[in-house]
Amino acid sequence: MDVRQVKALVTGGASGLGEATVRAIVEAGGKAGIVDMDRERAEKLSAELAPSAAFAVADVTSEQDIDRAVIELKDALGGLNAVVNCAGIGGSVKIMGKDGLMSMERFNRWLQINLAGTFNVIRGTLETLTENPPNEEGERGVYVNTASIAAFDGQVGQVGYSSSKGGVVSMTLTLAREFATNGIRVMAILPGIMNTPMLSRLPDHVRARLGDQVPFPPRLGNPAEFGKLARHIIENPYLNGEFIRLDGALRMGWARK
Ligand SMILES: NC(=O)c1ccc[n+]([C@@H]2O[C@H](COP(=O)([O-])OP(=O)(O)OC[C@H]3O[C@@H](n4cnc5c(N)ncnc54)[C@H](O)[C@@H]3O)[C@@H](O)[C@H]2O)c1
């Protein structure tokens, strides 16, 4: 898909990897619609990039919010042909942790936002993408979902997070097959350790140690590197039904304390 024709809905588009994706698309001549719960950041970024960006405040776990956001952004951008799902939450809690047994509410929060939220946005945008006229390749749209290397290299305390991201990986081929006759592709990116606000709660020395574990380049990932990959996936029609690790060859291990 020619990036200059792209009208992308980007969830979590107000911060971190989503924001970098919005910037990568707009810098290349496309348009982006930010879907985020953070009104202040979404509004600010949208104003900076106007008229190539718009925003809608929505919670990805709410059907009504997403249905409304799709109508608003379709109207503002003049259609939608790409969706990048970046909204998500991190965090780490052991099942038998210092605050007692993990509640089902805590576990379900990861699944609700990271996994069901991704599905909800796909559900809410699919009809719109399907109604697009096909381009010369027969393509009508593309989904780029964000999983994590934790889907495969889950660390102690990440049972909820890694399960939610494993689900995002697993839906990739299933949906690519389901949408093949509609000319819609589905891909997933598995970031390693990226330097976004999600990681800003960690002390500097911990972030430096994490960066040191990366074979090459030995540093945290730059959100712009995610934006570049998301843009490439949108542009390259032969990428479909696959997931790509973006991690500088990092494979997280396990050590007995
Ligand atoms: N930063 C990393 O190292 C890393 C690594 C692997 C995967 N990821 C994944 O990348 C994605 C983006 O992470 P980030 O680092 O950019 O985080 P971030 O916190 O900078 O941005 C996440 C954005 O999602 C929004 N959001 C959260 N819950 C939402 C909801 N229910 N509805 C709508 N918006 C919501 C937040 O307001 C925020 O703007 C997440 O899915 C995360 O799990 C991040």
Side-chain angles (χ1 to χ4, degrees):
M1 192 181 291
D2 180 344
V3 71
R4 289 165 304 180
Q5 308 300 323
V6 166
K7 294 157 185 166
L9 182 153
V10 183
T11 74
S15 174
L17 306 183
E19 175 181 344
T21 303
V22 168
R23 290 185 184 281
I25 291 168
V26 170
E27 276 163 21
K31 292 184 180 170
I34 301 156
V35 170
D36 208 294
M37 291 207 306
D38 188 332
R39 172 180 292 276
E40 206 180 314
R41 286 186 69 115
E43 198 166 9
K44 192 163 168 247
L45 182 62
S46 170
E48 181 195 325
L49 302 176
S52 298
F55 78 98
V57 177
D59 180 341
V60 293
T61 67
S62 156
E63 283 187 53
Q64 292 92 324
D65 276 17
I66 291 306
D67 290 347
R68 177 186 40 77
V70 169
I71 293 169
E72 284 175 19
L73 293 177
K74 205 171 140 182
D75 197 40
L77 304 180
L80 287 176
N81 53 14
V83 174
V84 184
N85 275 304
C86 288
I89 54 163
S92 164
V93 182
K94 282 191 195 174
I95 303 176
M96 278 200 307
K98 55 183 182 334
D99 300 324
L101 261 192
M102 187 199 295
S103 67
M104 280 312 294
E105 190 190 347
R106 186 67 194 89
F107 182 77
N108 282 330
R109 218 169 108 71
W110 277 297
L111 296 190
Q112 273 306 313
I113 298 174
N114 295 353
L115 177 57
T118 298
F119 175 77
N120 187 32
V121 174
I122 293 170
R123 177 207 63 79
T125 48
L126 184 60
E127 282 179 325
T128 300
L129 266 54
T130 303
E131 284 161 9
N132 286 330
N135 67 12
E136 59 288 352
E137 183 80 54
E139 195 177 15
R140 292 188 169 85
V142 53
Y143 287 101
V144 182
N145 297 327
T146 308
S148 163
I149 62 167
F152 295 101
D153 309 350
Q155 299 296 291
V156 172
Q158 284 190 317
V159 63
Y161 183 73
S162 63
S163 312
S164 70
K165 296 302 188 178
V168 173
V169 171
S170 296
M171 61 168 72
T172 312
L173 183 61
T174 311
L175 294 182
R177 287 172 167 171
E178 182 169 335
F179 302 163
T181 48
N182 306 105
I184 295 171
R185 295 182 290 122
V186 184
M187 287 289 295
I189 302 177
L190 279 60
I193 315 171
M194 311 297 285
N195 196 10
T196 71
M198 190 178 265
L199 256 75
S200 62
R201 270 171 285 142
L202 297 175
D204 283 350
H205 72 277
V206 175
R207 295 192 324 158
R209 207 181 59 220
L210 285 170
D212 250 6
Q213 290 177 24
V214 180
F216 188 83
R219 59 167 172 79
L220 301 184
N222 186 335
E225 289 158 347
F226 180 98
K228 259 190 224 171
L229 179 57
R231 177 188 148 184
H232 179 77
I233 291 171
I234 291 171
E235 286 181 302
N236 190 331
Y238 214 59
L239 280 172
N240 192 14
E242 186 53 284
F243 58 86
I244 301 175
R245 291 179 72 121
L246 180 70
D247 62 6
L250 176 64
R251 302 292 180 272
M252 295 190 90
W254 176 81
R256 199 179 297 281
K257 291 270 177 337

